[in-house]
Amino acid sequence: MMRGSLLPRCSNSIFPPPPNSNRLRPPFLKRLPAPTAASSGAQSRLTFSQNYRTAPNRLRSSVSESQWKQDREMATGDEQQDPRIAGISSAIRVIPNFPKPGIMFQDITTMLLDTKAFKDTIDLFVERYRDKNISVVAGVEARGFIFGPPIALAIGAKFVPMRKPNKLPGEVISEEYSLEYGTDKMEMHVGAVEAGERALVIDDLIATGGTLCAAVKLLERVGVNVVECACVIELLGLKGRERLGDRPLFVLVNAT
Amino acid sequence: MFAAENGLKGDPRLQGISEAIRVVPHFPKPGIMFQDITTLLLDHKAFKDTVDIFVDRYRDMDISVVAGVEARGFMFGPAIALAIGAKFVPLRKPRKLPGKVISEAYELEYGTDCLEMHVGAVERGERAIVIDDLVATGGTLSAAIRLLERSEAEVVECACVIGLREVKGQCRLNGKPLYILVEPRQIENCC
């Protein structure tokens, strides 16, 4: 069952929530402006966890700890957050200008190296979704494949990979979605899920919401009830939540 | 090399795992009988058994790194890593990992490909296993072993759900032991 300390404003039920109850950040929190390409050039915006045990001098933040913590606000945004969130957030590394200039890439691979943070991440999702009659965890290629299966195993659900074109053998259904330039396609196996099943969609991060939306649509097309989308990180300011419409979204950490 | 010869002879879980794997003929090209593990992932018991067998084997072997090969190694590796208290290190196709990486090229039937790992993900002396869904020629796994060894980790074993004919009889890859749960299914014994 979900704890009040994690999401004080979210109902414990994941049946359709009242409007705005899934907005995890209280509106009074000040949001720092996203760094521009110019400002991220000389000054390192790399954030680094003290928990990161390897290669100690490789990546060191040159901005103050309080500043980078403000950039990555906790999903709950207030003093009631689950104590595990801070460790998870600080284990995520930011790589500037990847994959192209101006993008501050949220790198979860450092969190996978922190056994406590990774376990806590999975536990937070499992605690939320166990006993909710979820029979399908759909994970978006490729980082959704890292989080989805442990959650599926723990809650007794099947794991369904949502893949780039031509990776899944056999019969598939596809959903096209738009990118910044052009389109891409996501595929799911025919017969992987049945109408009426209750599903989660998992990815490491939601930005514009294009990929998640495509995954949701694939499942909805075959009559699955997508109960919630779940991500470790939400990148604020890119309207991902809006793109999902009234479909619930649960995230652990916000980033700007 | 095969689990059945390595203490799991007659283990009923192996049969369930094998039967949950689907064969898709002529994918990705004519003549290839593709061993599709996605049907295993839909069978909660078989999937759990698969992970449990690996976890039981590695939990007391002081493994601190589980390296998984993109993308199907990502479906098995993290659950094993979490259960044995190890880190999970993704080994990826080129240009997917942000930041500093090391790369290792390996041969394909036509041409070459590359596998990458983050600099600093593993430390000298760490004991590692490599996970993938299937081993065929062993090219990808060999590249994975080289990446870990270049970072001075010790590769204790390579673990795969399925092992193809070419590898049968070889108990080692690059001198490293291979641990495989099942052989490929034939189309005749597949439902």
Side-chain angles (χ1 to χ4, degrees):
Chain A
M1 290 303 288
M2 230 178 36
R3 291 185 208 147
S5 64
L6 175 58
L7 290 166
R9 273 169 302 287
C10 204
S11 106
N12 276 349
S13 163
I14 49 177
F15 290 96
N20 294 320
S21 73
N22 58 1
R23 291 229 50 103
L24 301 170
R25 287 176 55 252
F28 58 81
L29 265 194
K30 197 163 66 139
R31 194 182 297 196
L32 290 179
T36 62
S39 69
S40 64
Q43 167 179 303
S44 167
R45 296 306 299 243
L46 298 174
T47 60
F48 207 71
S49 163
Q50 287 92 330
N51 295 330
Y52 190 51
R53 292 186 298 270
T54 70
N57 293 312
R58 183 164 59 87
L59 290 165
R60 183 159 290 154
S61 176
S62 65
V63 299
S64 70
E65 188 176 358
S66 62
Q67 187 172 353
W68 68 250
K69 273 189 174 160
Q70 280 180 302
D71 281 2
R72 196 174 298 114
E73 292 151 352
M74 307 310 162
T76 58
D78 65 17
E79 62 282 344
Q80 289 254 309
Q81 74 200 5
D82 188 289
R84 293 171 285 183
I85 299 272
I88 293 165
S89 179
S90 61
I92 297 165
R93 172 174 76 154
V94 179
I95 304 274
N97 303 314
F98 182 90
K100 51 183 205 192
I103 308 251
M104 304 298 279
F105 188 88
Q106 302 285 324
D107 181 17
I108 48 92
T109 65
T110 43
M111 182 259 274
L112 307 177
L113 301 178
D114 179 333
T115 52
K116 181 181 187 315
F118 186 21
K119 181 182 187 302
D120 287 346
T121 300
I122 299 299
D123 285 349
L124 282 163
F125 290 124
V126 169
E127 286 162 20
R128 183 178 178 83
Y129 298 118
R130 106 183 339 147
D131 306 326
K132 294 290 193 300
N133 255 349
I134 308 284
S135 60
V136 175
V137 173
V140 179
E141 170 160 19
R143 288 183 289 265
F145 294 177
I146 297 174
F147 298 96
I151 297 167
L153 286 165
I155 69 174
K158 15 192 218 196
F159 178 70
V160 176
M162 314 293 270
R163 297 210 69 172
K164 296 276 157 84
N166 310 312
K167 302 292 185 76
L168 290 171
E171 239 192 317
V172 296
I173 56 170
S174 323
E175 181 76 25
E176 208 171 73
Y177 60 102
S178 47
L179 301 170
E180 195 182 352
Y181 299 108
T183 60
D184 205 345
K185 251 201 242 184
M186 182 177 296
E187 295 184 341
M188 178 175 78
H189 264 141
V190 167
V193 298
E194 292 170 46
E197 293 205 78
R198 288 164 55 78
L200 299 177
V201 182
I202 305 275
D203 206 353
D204 66 323
L205 180 146
I206 176 173
T208 61
T211 322
L212 267 184
C213 220
V216 168
K217 285 185 182 160
L218 271 174
L219 291 160
E220 290 180 340
R221 272 165 58 188
V222 296
V224 166
N225 173 13
V226 178
V227 171
E228 197 156 81
C229 293
C231 301
V232 180
I233 304 160
E234 177 180 5
L235 269 195
L236 299 172
L238 294 173
K239 301 192 169 37
R241 211 172 265 270
E242 285 92 298
R243 192 149 174 189
L244 287 176
D246 55 8
R247 300 179 187 97
L249 170 69
F250 174 73
V251 305
L252 302 184
V253 164
N254 292 331
T256 53
Chain B
M1 175 177 80
F2 280 95
E5 299 144 15
N6 264 279
L8 284 189
K9 188 177 168 62
D11 189 315
R13 294 177 297 179
L14 292 178
Q15 185 176 359
I17 290 166
S18 179
E19 288 173 358
I21 296 165
R22 171 174 77 154
V23 179
V24 181
H26 310 303
F27 182 90
K29 54 183 203 190
I32 309 249
M33 306 302 274
F34 189 87
Q35 303 288 315
D36 180 17
I37 49 91
T38 64
T39 43
L40 172 68
L41 308 175
L42 299 178
D43 179 337
H44 180 262
K45 180 182 187 314
F47 186 19
K48 184 173 185 307
D49 287 345
T50 303
V51 172
D52 285 349
I53 291 172
F54 289 127
V55 169
D56 289 343
R57 181 172 180 82
Y58 297 118
R59 92 169 4 117
D60 295 321
M61 286 176 66
D62 228 356
I63 306 290
S64 61
V65 173
V66 174
V69 180
E70 167 164 23
R72 289 184 288 265
F74 290 6
M75 299 176 192
F76 298 95
I80 298 167
L82 286 162
I84 69 174
K87 342 193 249 205
F88 178 70
V89 175
L91 304 182
R92 298 209 67 175
K93 296 281 158 81
R95 293 173 299 281
K96 302 291 186 76
L97 290 171
K100 272 187 162 169
V101 297
I102 54 172
S103 291
E104 186 71 35
Y106 62 99
E107 298 213 349
L108 299 170
E109 192 182 1
Y110 300 108
T112 60
D113 204 343
C114 227
L115 207 58
E116 294 186 339
M117 182 174 81
H118 266 139
V119 168
V122 304
E123 292 175 42
R124 176 188 306 139
E126 291 207 81
R127 288 165 57 80
I129 56 172
V130 184
I131 303 277
D132 206 354
D133 64 322
L134 179 148
V135 52
T137 60
T140 321
L141 275 184
S142 295
I145 293 168
R146 287 195 298 274
L147 277 172
L148 289 160
E149 292 190 326
R150 279 166 59 189
S151 304
E152 298 184 278
E154 179 196 345
V155 178
V156 172
E157 196 158 84
C158 293
C160 299
V161 180
I162 307 162
L164 252 51
R165 285 283 135 71
E166 291 97 293
V167 208
K168 192 177 168 74
Q170 292 177 44
C171 293
R172 304 182 85 82
L173 189 67
N174 281 24
K176 300 299 172 186
L178 263 176
Y179 184 73
I180 296 170
L181 299 190
V182 297
E183 288 192 45
R185 293 195 75 191
Q186 303 303 310
I187 199 69
E188 311 85 62
N189 63 22
C190 183
C191 49

